[in-house]
Amino acid sequence: MACSSSTSHSAPASSSRSCKYDVFLSFRGEDTRKTFVDHLYSALTQHLIRVYKDDETLPRDVRNQKRKFGEAFSKQETKNVTKAEIWRKALVDVSSISGWELKNIANGHESQFIKKVVDTILDRLFALNSCVDECLVGMRTRFQDLKSLLDIGSGGVRMVGIWGVGGGGKTTLATSVYMKMSQHFQGHCILENVREDTSKHGLKKLQENILSSLFKKEVNVYSVTEGKHKMKSMLCHRKVLVVLDDVDELGQLEALAGKHDWFGSGSRIIITTRDEHLLRTHRVDHVYPITLLSNDDATQLFKRHAYNEKEPIEDYDKVSLRAVSYASGHPLSLKVLGSFLYDKNKNEWISALEKLKDIPNPDVMNIIKTSYDGLESYEKELFLDIACFFRGWNADEAVQILEACGFHLKIGMKVLIQKALITIVDYIIYMHYIIYMHDVLKEMGHYIVRGEHPNNLEKHSRLWINKEIEELCFKDERMEYDKTEAIIYAGEGSTSCLCKIVSKMKKLRLLSVINNHHNRNVEGANFLSNELQYIKWCNYPASPFPHNFQPMKLAVLKLSYSKQKELWKGYKHLPQLEVLELLSLPELISTPDFDGLPRLKRLILVSCSELEEIHPSFRNHTSLEYLGVSYCSKLRLPTISQMKNIKVLQITSCCLQDGDVPYGIGELSNLQELKLCHNNFSRLDFNFSQLTRLKSLDVSCCDNLLELPELPSSLAIFTAYQCRSLTLVKDFSTKCKHLCQVSLAVEVGWSDRLLQSMLKGTSIENCCMHLQLGDLKIPKGFTPLLRRGGSCRLELPENWCNDFTGFLMCFVTSYAFSMVGCDISMKQESGMDFEDDGVWEESDGGLHILMWYVSFGSLRHTTWWYQTHNAVSRKIESHLRIQGPGCYNYGFGVRLVEKKSRSGQTETSTDSSSHYTPKIKIQHDSTSELKVSLHPYRPK
């Protein structure tokens, strides 16, 4: 337990300084030498304060530099006259300072007066006016951020939590702020290692330490309940600074900083923890997430601990890059690794870094493993799966696998996020989220899995390294793998070998094999674990699955590039199977009996070129929610009118003629997405009137499509791009009030009405709108005029942010694009001069029109918006992300959209509707510039 405050009895901070004394005791009169001065001297030395006290009369000698002082100054003058004169003047000034008078302090009570002098000196010695954080690399920005949240000097009580991964610098930051700011409080205390000391000494002891430190005397507490009452009654009128470091249970916070009203106005409580949930539950005022070090800061921190100035290693800069990369900005790893390598030569550095790939540093592991140890058993298993398999994966794909394995993902992932073990990162460019885990945490997971048998793969619960899996082929064939629960492989190993290995894994629950090596004559596995919950296999042999394979827990089955003609012989009952995906099975001629798959929700068939029909039981299947069929040119689906739970239906590139579209689509009342693109029909011969929940319709690239029926009013996304024969399109601008994305590459006479209708829609109030057209009516009438290139300047009228609703941008290009994203940059113009390539004219070319609307509601939360209310000119630059030729020319313009009444529009978008909108992502946000990335909605 380390507890320090203004009354700590440990040696003061000055003990580490080069000066010999902390206090010079100046006094006059023989009457005080053996009374007051002696008592004061005794009190100071009892607090380990180093005091200079000469038993001779000193003040006159100091002022006039006589006797010992005079002799010392004479010696100094021979070395440096200027410095000696400065010292002479300083001593004269000091000796003239009038001190406190006893009669004016503590009503003349000598003992209280001495106590106040000692306390003041202690506070001065402990105050961090020295640059404590100057040596803390990467702390300056963090320090300022935390200081801002604390708002020291203002009234009220604030509790601020610092949250992050173990070894990430939470304690360092809290200590730095504590030591810098402590002099602003009546009392201050830091409790380190609350988690550890609670288990060793109990909360009662910690309560005693806080109160004893803050009140500079021993305080006894006889129960935690009494301690709570004492803390509140003793501190409620006292301005204190308290740091609680490494808290891991809510009970600790309830006992040590129960509520805001325990402390006096101006008090600040800083809490460090690895568990964000604790802070939220305790209702702290702010949570400050600790960020890992930038590459520059990491390089500096590592160098501070690793660089040996006396014996620098050869190629330090080059070799150190590997070490810094390994630590990935993790402060503790950088310090520990740097200190370990300090006295090593180049070869030893290289050897040590190679070793770390297999054996992590135990000092680092012991620190960060406490977060893992605090998890429940299923949370530990989830963490290990992510560490071994899913770090860096698309979150949607990883979630599907983990849910198939029976994990309670919503709460499990939340716990891991709150304990700073994983984060979910928005991958802007590809519009999906990825699971991120720090390298150190990943290696900890690997270390736990390998356990006490790092070289015995058969004893590992998870296998994920291709080379190690391939090495199993050379093991004793009689060896069993009873410990193996999960295997993910992606390589070019022998298919025969992989099948033999998998056949030995009796407890396997997760199996994913992406094998680029295919041998048509290889037999498949002779045994597959009935514990399997997830199977994905690319290039599985042609033979069906084993007859004795009866996986009652199997939830997901994905096969691709297999030569199987059938998945298994006869009927199998798979009561938990929810996902069946068959991709590029060119010889498949039959599907399973769907009566044995009662819970099947997602069925995908792609490039099954010989498949002509689905099992007759399919027409009676009612649990299906997603049906996707692509590039199955011989397949014709039966009626699907009974599939009332279908939400997504995609039948694309299947050469559907008139009459081939499955009967009953118009009766699917829960249908939300319908995609029929790349087919050969000329019309859709079903009625949309019952499809009241349909949000997205895509009939793109249907070259023979002549006309469209009346569209449902619920539609939000409509795509009819490259329908070259489409001539008859009824005006749907007044009926479809929720449209926020339309791609219609034909010329219609009502494009302006469509645009105005979409701009009035309630669904775009806080997001964006996307419109692609095939005529020039809108750009020719666009005001202000479009400019050549991708930049323009927009003059902003007074009160523009209240009188208008958003920015409308218009692009004209000669390149035929589809579902194009767009990057926009907005900057305030410093002057009135603006250079561009002139006004765009129709003769410049361009037949393809793209409109983007960005609502003010989607920008109001940004720093940029907060600073731009009074702006009068704004430069806007755009960049179209088009997949195609590298060079393309376009005209570009932007204008404000005036706020208009939405009278008569009483419909509001539902929660499901909010999913069907184009997406806007903030890429950069500052007072001077805002960069956003706009993405059309794309069905998954």
Side-chain angles (χ1 to χ4, degrees):
M1 167 51 149
C3 183
S4 62
S5 77
S6 56
T7 59
S8 173
H9 287 203
S10 59
S14 59
S15 61
S16 62
R17 301 185 316 192
S18 60
C19 56
K20 188 175 180 180
Y21 296 102
D22 299 314
V23 173
F24 170 58
L25 190 54
S26 174
F27 62 94
R28 296 179 184 177
E30 289 297 321
D31 55 330
T32 63
R33 181 184 301 276
K34 296 181 180 180
T35 54
F36 176 81
V37 172
D38 192 50
H39 295 157
L40 176 58
Y41 176 82
S42 177
L44 291 169
T45 54
Q46 284 176 6
H47 284 82
L48 303 182
I49 297 173
R50 298 168 303 176
V51 185
Y52 182 93
K53 170 178 171 285
D54 199 315
D55 285 333
E56 301 177 20
T57 304
L58 298 177
R60 190 175 296 110
D61 290 350
V62 172
R63 179 190 299 269
N64 300 315
Q65 289 90 53
K66 293 183 177 181
R67 300 183 185 178
K68 292 181 179 179
F69 286 95
E71 294 172 5
F73 268 84
S74 296
K75 293 179 180 179
Q76 181 61 34
E77 282 178 324
T78 62
K79 299 177 182 178
N80 191 323
V81 176
T82 304
K83 183 180 290 188
E85 287 301 318
I86 294 174
W87 286 4
R88 285 183 188 278
K89 183 178 185 304
L91 285 173
V92 171
D93 293 340
V94 167
S95 64
S96 301
I97 295 174
S98 59
W100 292 348
E101 291 189 59
L102 177 60
K103 64 180 181 180
N104 298 326
I105 305 295
N107 293 322
H109 294 282
E110 189 172 287
S111 62
Q112 294 184 27
F113 179 80
I114 290 175
K115 183 176 182 298
K116 184 171 180 61
V117 171
V118 173
D119 289 346
T120 301
I121 292 172
L122 281 170
D123 282 340
R124 295 282 179 87
L125 291 174
F126 275 110
L128 279 182
N129 295 323
S130 59
C131 298
V132 172
D133 67 329
E134 287 298 319
C135 62
L136 302 176
V137 176
M139 282 292 113
R140 188 174 300 279
T141 300
R142 294 178 176 186
F143 178 89
Q144 292 300 329
D145 290 343
L146 184 57
K147 182 180 176 183
S148 175
L149 293 177
L150 291 168
D151 194 16
I152 293 173
S154 65
V157 176
R158 288 199 182 189
M159 294 187 183
V160 176
I162 306 175
W163 164 67
V165 65
K170 302 182 300 295
T171 300
T172 303
L173 176 60
T175 303
S176 176
V177 172
Y178 169 80
M179 296 176 74
K180 278 284 191 178
M181 298 292 126
S182 58
Q183 68 268 26
H184 299 294
F185 297 85
Q186 293 174 317
H188 44 87
C189 176
I190 180 168
L191 290 183
E192 297 176 339
N193 304 318
V194 170
R195 171 184 55 81
E196 181 179 343
D197 287 343
T198 299
S199 63
K200 286 183 178 179
H201 308 296
L203 289 171
K204 181 172 67 71
K205 177 62 176 175
L206 271 60
Q207 291 173 327
E208 290 178 342
N209 286 333
I210 291 178
L211 291 173
S212 297
S213 293
L214 294 176
F215 284 91
K216 308 167 187 178
K217 63 180 181 181
E218 185 175 350
V219 178
N220 294 317
V221 172
Y222 299 100
S223 72
V224 173
T225 301
E226 181 199 12
K228 293 180 181 179
H229 290 291
K230 270 192 174 182
M231 290 189 70
K232 179 177 180 180
S233 61
M234 296 175 70
L235 299 176
C236 62
H237 299 295
R238 195 171 183 86
K239 178 183 175 182
V240 297
L241 172 64
V242 177
V243 174
L244 305 177
D245 177 55
D246 195 18
V247 173
D248 72 336
E249 293 179 0
L250 185 60
Q252 296 162 358
L253 293 179
E254 292 173 341
L256 303 177
K259 293 183 178 180
H260 287 65
D261 63 4
W262 282 22
F263 307 96
S265 181
S267 293
R268 298 293 182 263
I269 313 301
I270 301 175
I271 304 161
T272 76
T273 182
R274 306 179 192 193
D275 191 347
E276 182 190 20
H277 176 66
L278 293 183
L279 301 174
R280 301 294 184 191
T281 304
H282 197 58
R283 293 172 173 78
V284 300
D285 299 285
H286 299 284
V287 175
Y288 181 70
I290 202 79
T291 55
L292 298 177
L293 299 180
S294 67
N295 189 63
D296 288 344
D297 285 341
T299 301
Q300 292 180 42
L301 179 59
F302 179 76
K303 186 173 184 179
R304 176 161 293 159
H305 293 273
Y307 188 68
N308 189 336
E309 293 183 352
K310 294 182 179 179
E311 299 179 23
I313 70 164
E314 180 185 356
D315 296 328
Y316 170 84
D317 290 339
K318 181 178 179 180
V319 179
S320 65
L321 286 176
R322 291 182 57 188
V324 172
S325 176
Y326 164 81
S328 298
H330 188 251
L332 179 64
S333 298
L334 290 162
K335 293 176 184 177
V336 171
L337 182 56
S339 299
F340 174 75
L341 295 174
Y342 176 78
D343 58 352
K344 309 295 188 295
N345 61 37
K346 180 180 177 180
N347 290 333
E348 291 168 338
W349 272 51
I350 294 173
S351 176
L353 293 172
E354 286 295 326
K355 187 197 79 169
L356 286 173
K357 294 179 181 179
D358 301 317
I359 307 174
N361 185 285
D363 293 333
V364 176
M365 289 299 106
N366 290 337
I367 293 293
I368 63 176
K369 191 173 178 291
T370 55
S371 296
Y372 171 84
D373 293 336
L375 298 174
E376 295 183 17
S377 58
Y378 88 93
E379 294 165 351
K380 290 180 178 179
E381 295 300 312
L382 175 59
F383 170 82
L384 293 177
D385 268 7
I386 294 175
C388 294
F389 301 128
F390 304 118
R391 175 180 176 268
W393 277 45
N394 181 322
D396 290 338
E397 186 175 0
V399 164
Q400 184 187 67
I401 298 174
L402 293 167
E403 284 184 339
C405 291
F407 288 108
H408 303 284
L409 258 291
K410 286 186 172 61
I411 184 62
M413 297 280 276
K414 182 72 172 180
V415 169
L416 296 186
I417 290 171
Q418 289 182 327
K419 290 185 178 293
L421 293 173
I422 65 170
T423 54
I424 305 298
V425 180
D426 190 350
Y427 199 3
I428 292 176
I429 299 299
Y430 295 102
M431 288 301 292
H432 64 238
Y433 295 92
I434 63 172
I435 299 177
Y436 173 76
M437 176 184 287
H438 192 273
D439 287 347
V440 175
L441 294 170
K442 177 200 69 175
E443 291 186 358
M444 179 187 73
H446 295 179
Y447 186 70
I448 293 170
V449 168
R450 293 185 175 114
E452 298 178 357
H453 309 282
N455 298 318
N456 297 335
L457 299 178
E458 68 277 6
K459 295 185 178 181
H460 297 173
S461 62
R462 296 159 177 83
L463 299 174
W464 64 93
I465 298 177
N466 293 342
K467 183 179 179 181
E468 292 183 347
I469 295 171
E470 291 166 3
E471 287 175 356
L472 295 177
C473 294
F474 305 102
K475 296 278 187 177
D476 188 340
E477 290 190 2
R478 295 169 297 178
M479 186 174 292
E480 296 292 335
Y481 298 89
D482 291 336
K483 302 293 185 182
T484 308
E485 300 177 11
I487 177 173
I488 290 186
Y489 173 84
E492 298 183 356
S494 164
T495 301
S496 175
C497 171
L498 290 169
C499 289
K500 289 180 181 179
I501 293 171
V502 170
S503 296
K504 298 178 181 181
M505 297 177 175
K506 311 300 183 183
K507 296 183 179 179
L508 203 61
R509 59 177 170 84
L510 189 167
L511 171 62
S512 177
V513 176
I514 300 177
N515 186 17
N516 297 322
H517 179 270
H518 180 73
N519 188 326
R520 188 182 185 90
N521 299 319
V522 170
E523 284 294 317
N526 59 37
F527 173 86
L528 287 174
S529 168
N530 286 330
E531 298 297 316
L532 276 164
Q533 296 167 288
Y534 178 93
I535 299 176
K536 179 178 181 179
W537 198 307
C538 175
N539 274 324
Y540 187 81
S543 57
F545 287 134
H547 179 70
N548 61 357
F549 179 48
Q550 193 62 48
M552 303 297 285
K553 301 177 184 178
L554 187 65
V556 175
L557 174 57
K558 296 183 177 184
L559 297 174
S560 59
Y561 300 98
S562 169
K563 301 300 182 182
Q564 290 173 302
K565 292 184 177 181
E566 57 183 346
L567 303 187
W568 47 74
K569 298 285 187 181
Y571 173 89
K572 282 190 183 295
H573 180 55
L574 306 179
Q576 301 300 321
L577 190 68
E578 295 189 356
V579 177
L580 177 60
E581 295 186 9
L582 306 176
L583 280 63
S584 296
L585 272 63
E587 299 185 19
L588 186 73
I589 58 174
S590 67
T591 62
D593 185 336
F594 290 93
D595 287 341
L597 315 176
R599 296 189 62 179
L600 188 66
K601 295 181 179 180
R602 184 182 179 95
L603 174 62
I604 296 180
L605 303 171
V606 178
S607 296
C608 300
S609 54
E610 293 300 313
L611 186 64
E612 296 185 8
E613 63 178 7
I614 290 184
H615 194 279
S617 60
F618 181 75
R619 65 177 64 245
N620 300 319
H621 198 76
T622 58
S623 62
L624 208 63
E625 296 179 0
Y626 186 111
L627 175 58
V629 182
S630 299
Y631 298 99
C632 297
S633 57
K634 295 182 180 181
L635 179 63
R636 294 297 178 263
L637 293 172
T639 178
I640 58 175
S641 58
Q642 78 286 358
M643 298 182 178
K644 302 298 184 181
N645 289 314
I646 282 190
K647 297 178 182 179
V648 178
L649 176 60
Q650 299 181 358
I651 310 175
T652 65
S653 302
C654 287
C655 303
L656 296 182
Q657 308 287 338
D658 288 335
D660 289 340
V661 177
Y663 176 77
I665 290 181
E667 300 175 34
L668 303 178
S669 56
N670 284 309
L671 191 64
Q672 296 180 8
E673 294 184 25
L674 178 59
K675 189 172 184 179
L676 299 171
C677 54
H678 293 275
N679 282 302
N680 298 329
F681 49 74
S682 63
R683 55 182 47 84
L684 297 174
D685 53 1
F686 57 87
N687 196 313
F688 282 86
S689 61
Q690 295 185 48
L691 304 182
T692 57
R693 298 185 179 181
L694 190 66
K695 304 300 179 187
S696 175
L697 173 62
D698 188 352
V699 292
S700 296
C701 302
C702 292
D703 289 344
N704 298 330
L705 185 63
L706 298 174
E707 61 178 313
L708 291 172
E710 187 172 338
L711 301 179
S713 61
S714 59
L715 209 60
I717 312 290
F718 177 56
T719 308
Y721 193 75
Q722 289 191 348
C723 297
R724 295 181 175 88
S725 302
L726 186 61
T727 57
L728 183 59
V729 183
K730 296 178 182 179
D731 186 351
F732 52 80
S733 62
T734 56
K735 182 179 181 181
C736 301
K737 301 296 185 182
H738 299 297
L739 284 171
C740 56
Q741 180 174 307
V742 173
S743 179
L744 190 62
V746 296
E747 188 169 346
V748 296
W750 40 272
S751 57
D752 52 350
R753 290 200 301 272
L754 174 61
L755 174 60
Q756 293 305 318
S757 176
M758 294 176 69
L759 290 173
K760 292 179 181 179
T762 57
S763 61
I764 65 171
E765 286 183 345
N766 295 307
C767 55
C768 55
M769 181 210 80
H770 179 52
L771 174 62
Q772 291 179 223
L773 295 169
D775 63 66
L776 298 177
K777 184 176 180 180
I778 291 177
K780 286 194 291 187
F782 199 86
T783 305
L785 298 175
L786 271 62
R787 318 298 297 185
R788 292 192 183 102
S791 297
C792 67
R793 186 178 69 184
L794 178 65
E795 298 291 340
L796 301 175
E798 185 177 356
N799 205 33
W800 60 274
C801 56
N802 295 317
D803 294 342
F804 298 87
T805 61
F807 299 105
L808 180 65
M809 288 161 279
C810 179
F811 304 82
V812 180
T813 178
S814 57
Y815 179 68
F817 46 75
S818 176
M819 308 299 285
V820 178
C822 182
D823 295 326
I824 301 294
S825 173
M826 304 187 198
K827 306 175 186 177
Q828 185 170 342
E829 282 281 81
S830 57
M832 299 306 293
D833 295 332
F834 178 76
E835 295 183 4
D836 61 16
D837 296 328
V839 175
W840 172 84
E841 298 178 357
E842 188 174 354
S843 59
D844 292 330
L847 299 174
H848 304 279
I849 314 306
L850 174 66
M851 310 289 298
W852 273 103
Y853 168 78
V854 179
S855 70
F856 289 167
S858 65
L859 304 177
R860 292 185 191 277
H861 67 285
T862 64
T863 301
W864 174 85
W865 177 270
Y866 184 75
Q867 295 293 328
T868 56
H869 286 184
N870 298 320
V872 295
S873 180
R874 183 69 45 189
K875 179 183 178 183
I876 300 181
E877 298 177 340
S878 67
H879 175 66
L880 287 175
R881 281 179 279 104
I882 300 176
Q883 293 182 349
C887 297
Y888 49 88
N889 297 316
Y890 58 88
F892 172 63
V894 61
R895 69 175 174 85
L896 297 173
V897 175
E898 189 174 356
K899 186 178 293 185
K900 295 181 180 179
S901 170
R902 291 190 170 91
S903 59
Q905 295 194 15
T906 57
E907 293 181 274
T908 57
S909 59
T910 63
D911 290 341
S912 61
S913 297
S914 62
H915 171 69
Y916 294 96
T917 60
K919 305 301 179 185
I920 178 170
K921 297 293 182 182
I922 307 298
Q923 291 183 315
H924 173 77
D925 179 22
S926 66
T927 57
S928 60
E929 183 178 15
L930 180 69
K931 292 182 179 179
V932 299
S933 183
L934 306 174
H935 303 267
Y937 170 81
R938 289 183 175 88
K940 295 181 180 179

